[in-house]
């Protein structure tokens, strides 16, 4: 069966034919291809067409697909049983590995998705401080728990309003533009005693990649400390990607709580939240803040994640960052030569090519980019075997599996694009 046939069948079985809205490729006016194989830097669809991957499952596969060490660890784990619903060594070993790289996570808890991690971290922040309100940034995406679906980024930015989310639930969600410290200050001036936490993507990846401006993260740290609120870094994308110790290592700011996902599962469903011991001990069964999960600490995900983190410590992050910069500089130069203004945002192995003649520092500016031009670009890159995220407001990822030849082929495809 080809992709078209699978999609036609999928449309009868799943809303929009997908299990996550971005995959429907609506934002690039296209249809999904169905993938049946992935190895290294490549994907193959059900028709045998090969793509150079820049999505990598939306972030987890920083080593590329089927890294032999990660694969072997997952296989070995499956051979010992795929789920116990009981404590297992793998969860302790992965937690130890995470703590080594992100020391601010003195204690942590494993869950099964980024959504669960942020949802639980927010509940913990509220339980710990005894306060209900929290600050989130417009265009930041923290998964799809109700409280975060106010001005959320990623696919949620396209949904008008938040049907299904009671007004009362988001009435405690205070919004600010990303990089606008003054707006956060105003929230603290008005409701400082009621604010449990500020949650932020320390380098935003869900309105396109948007870098924190100098002083922004430090300013958040200071405001939270001053007002007794917790600072939560949502590092579901940035954890182990921007640096082995995540954005908090790269920018030198320590949050009270951190949420993780994606990379720490080595491609298996996972999430994790953690931070200061004193705060984490508010979680049940020690404290009263409830959270639980049938598959939390799943032994296969734990084994794959641990192998992934160990392998990443042997990898040369600065070299990949430099190679990614050379790639994106050239991609931008090619587009400019075609008369398209481009602004490139890059941090480590994450980047976004904005069709814009101005820098993008927040959601308003991201919304002003020419996403129709991006859609044209995306479709022609796909036709030439380059798989970019199917939305202009997402970031692309390079991996340690990409060769220079893959980058050169990508540039060749970009040169052939016509607007
Ligand atoms: P999951 O529940 O999808 O595992 O993680 C939610 C999440 C939390 N925090 C951040 C910063 C995230 O980026 C995400 C999920 N990211 C999206 C796209 N960037 C995943 C892809 C999708 O929704 O299909």
């Amino acid at each position: 069966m080809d992709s078209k046939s699978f999609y036609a069948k999928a449309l009868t079985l799943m809303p929009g034919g997908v299990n996550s809205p971005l995959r429907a490729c609506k934002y690039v006016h296209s249809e999904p291809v169905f993938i049946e194989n992935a190895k290294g830097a490549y994907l193959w669809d059900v028709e045998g067409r090969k793509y150079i991957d820049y999505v990598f499952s939306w972030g987890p596969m920083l080593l590329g697909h089927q890294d032999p060490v990660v694969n072997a660890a997952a296989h070995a784990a499956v051979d010992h049983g795929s789920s116990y619903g009981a404590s297992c060594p793998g969860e302790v070993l992965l937690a130890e590995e995470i703590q080594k790289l992100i020391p601010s996570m003195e204690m942590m808890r494993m869950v099964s998705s980024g959504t669960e991690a942020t949802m639980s971290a927010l509940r913990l922040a509220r339980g710990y401080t005894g306060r209900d309100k929290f600050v989130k940034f417009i265009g930041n995406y923290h998964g799809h728990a109700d409280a975060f679906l106010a001005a959320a980024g990623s696919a949620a930015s396209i949904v008008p309003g938040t049907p299904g989310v009671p007004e009362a639930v988001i009435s405690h969600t205070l919004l600010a533009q990303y990089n606008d410290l003054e707006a956060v200050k105003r929230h603290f001036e008005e409701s400082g005693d009621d604010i449990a936490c500020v949650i932020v993507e320390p380098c935003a990846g869900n309105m396109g990649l948007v870098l924190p401006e100098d002083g922004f993260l430090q300013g958040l740290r200071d405001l939270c400390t001053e007002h007794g609120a917790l600072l939560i870094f949502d590092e579901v994308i940035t954890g182990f990607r921007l640096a082995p110790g995540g954005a908090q290592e790269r920018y030198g700011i320590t949050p009270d709580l951190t949420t993780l996902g994606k990379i720490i599962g080595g491609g298996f469903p996972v999430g994790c939240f953690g931070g200061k011991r004193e705060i984490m001990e508010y979680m049940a069964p020690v404290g009263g803040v409830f959270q639980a999960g049938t598959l939390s600490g799943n032994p296969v995900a734990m084994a794959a994640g641990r192998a992934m983190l160990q392998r990443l410590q042997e990898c040369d992050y600065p070299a990949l960052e430099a190679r990614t910069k050379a790639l994106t500089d050239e991609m931008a130069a090619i587009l400019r030569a075609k008369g398209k203004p481009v602004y490139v945002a890059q941090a480590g192995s994450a980047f976004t090519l904005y069709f814009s003649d101005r820098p993008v520092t927040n959601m308003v500016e991201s919304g002003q980019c020419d996403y129709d031009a991006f859609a044209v670009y995306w479709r022609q890159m796909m036709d030439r075997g380059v798989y970019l995220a199917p939305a202009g407001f997402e970031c692309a990822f390079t991996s340690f599996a990409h060769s220079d030849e893959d980058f050169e082929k990508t540039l060749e495809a970009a040169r052939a694009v016509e607007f």
Side-chain angles (χ1 to χ4, degrees), residues 20 22 58 113-115 118 141-143 154 201 206 234 236-237 262 394:
S20 197
L22 284 170
W58 303 93
S113 68
T115 295
T118 53
Y141 179 69
H142 303 294
S154 191
E201 289 184 64
N206 284 292
D234 180 352
V236 167
I237 288 182
K262 300 190 192 267
E394 291 289 338

Side-chain angles (χ1 to χ4, degrees), residues 234-278:
D234 180 352
E235 295 230 40
V236 167
I237 288 182
T238 56
F240 311 100
R241 178 165 287 278
L242 293 201
Q248 51 197 276
E249 176 188 326
R250 187 177 174 105
Y251 299 114
I253 308 289
T254 306
D256 299 297
L257 294 175
T258 299
T259 57
L260 299 171
K262 300 190 192 267
I263 288 176
I264 59 158
F268 291 86
V270 88
C272 176
F273 64 101
K276 287 196 180 125
R277 182 176 307 276
E278 180 208 331

Side-chain angles (χ1 to χ4, degrees), residues 168-302:
V169 174
I170 49 169
S171 64
H172 298 300
T173 308
L174 307 176
L175 298 172
Q177 286 294 349
Y178 197 72
N179 278 320
D180 186 353
L181 206 49
E182 288 306 312
V184 183
K185 263 187 207 153
R186 281 195 296 277
H187 282 312
F188 273 108
E189 274 158 22
E190 279 162 27
S191 342
D193 292 346
D194 299 327
I195 297 177
C197 64
V198 173
I199 184 165
V200 65
E201 289 184 64
C203 179
N206 284 292
M207 48 182 162
L209 189 77
V210 177
L211 275 57
E213 289 178 342
D214 282 353
F216 176 57
L217 297 175
Q218 183 64 56
L220 297 182
R221 178 63 280 174
D222 294 345
L223 280 170
C224 286
T225 305
E226 186 185 331
H227 292 274
L230 303 186
L231 178 62
I232 304 178
F233 274 7
D234 180 352
E235 295 230 40
V236 167
I237 288 182
T238 56
F240 311 100
R241 178 165 287 278
L242 293 201
Q248 51 197 276
E249 176 188 326
R250 187 177 174 105
Y251 299 114
I253 308 289
T254 306
D256 299 297
L257 294 175
T258 299
T259 57
L260 299 171
K262 300 190 192 267
I263 288 176
I264 59 158
F268 291 86
V270 88
C272 176
F273 64 101
K276 287 196 180 125
R277 182 176 307 276
E278 180 208 331
I279 302 169
M280 288 302 290
E281 285 187 337
Y282 271 66
M283 296 302 300
V286 184
V289 178
F290 188 73
Q291 171 276 333
T294 304
L295 292 175
S296 294
N298 173 267
V300 183
M302 297 298 103

Side-chain angles (χ1 to χ4, degrees), residues 229-375:
L230 303 186
L231 178 62
I232 304 178
F233 274 7
D234 180 352
E235 295 230 40
V236 167
I237 288 182
T238 56
F240 311 100
R241 178 165 287 278
L242 293 201
Q248 51 197 276
E249 176 188 326
R250 187 177 174 105
Y251 299 114
I253 308 289
T254 306
D256 299 297
L257 294 175
T258 299
T259 57
L260 299 171
K262 300 190 192 267
I263 288 176
I264 59 158
F268 291 86
V270 88
C272 176
F273 64 101
K276 287 196 180 125
R277 182 176 307 276
E278 180 208 331
I279 302 169
M280 288 302 290
E281 285 187 337
Y282 271 66
M283 296 302 300
V286 184
V289 178
F290 188 73
Q291 171 276 333
T294 304
L295 292 175
S296 294
N298 173 267
V300 183
M302 297 298 103
R306 179 171 178 242
M308 179 94 177
L309 297 193
Q310 288 178 333
R311 283 273 289 112
L312 284 175
Q313 288 166 66
E314 301 157 5
C315 291
D316 188 343
Y317 279 72
L320 181 59
E321 172 150 20
R323 290 175 64 225
T324 305
K325 179 160 185 351
L327 171 74
T328 55
D329 281 353
E330 189 54 26
M331 285 172 101
I334 291 167
L335 283 166
R336 286 187 194 117
K338 292 176 189 295
K340 289 287 170 200
V342 182
Y343 168 70
V344 186
Q346 189 212 335
S349 53
F351 69 92
T352 296
L353 293 176
Y354 293 100
F355 286 69
S356 166
D357 55 6
R358 282 168 294 166
V360 174
T361 64
N362 61 30
M363 187 62 180
V364 176
E365 291 163 358
S366 169
Q368 289 163 352
C369 296
D370 185 352
Y371 287 132
D372 287 335
F374 176 82

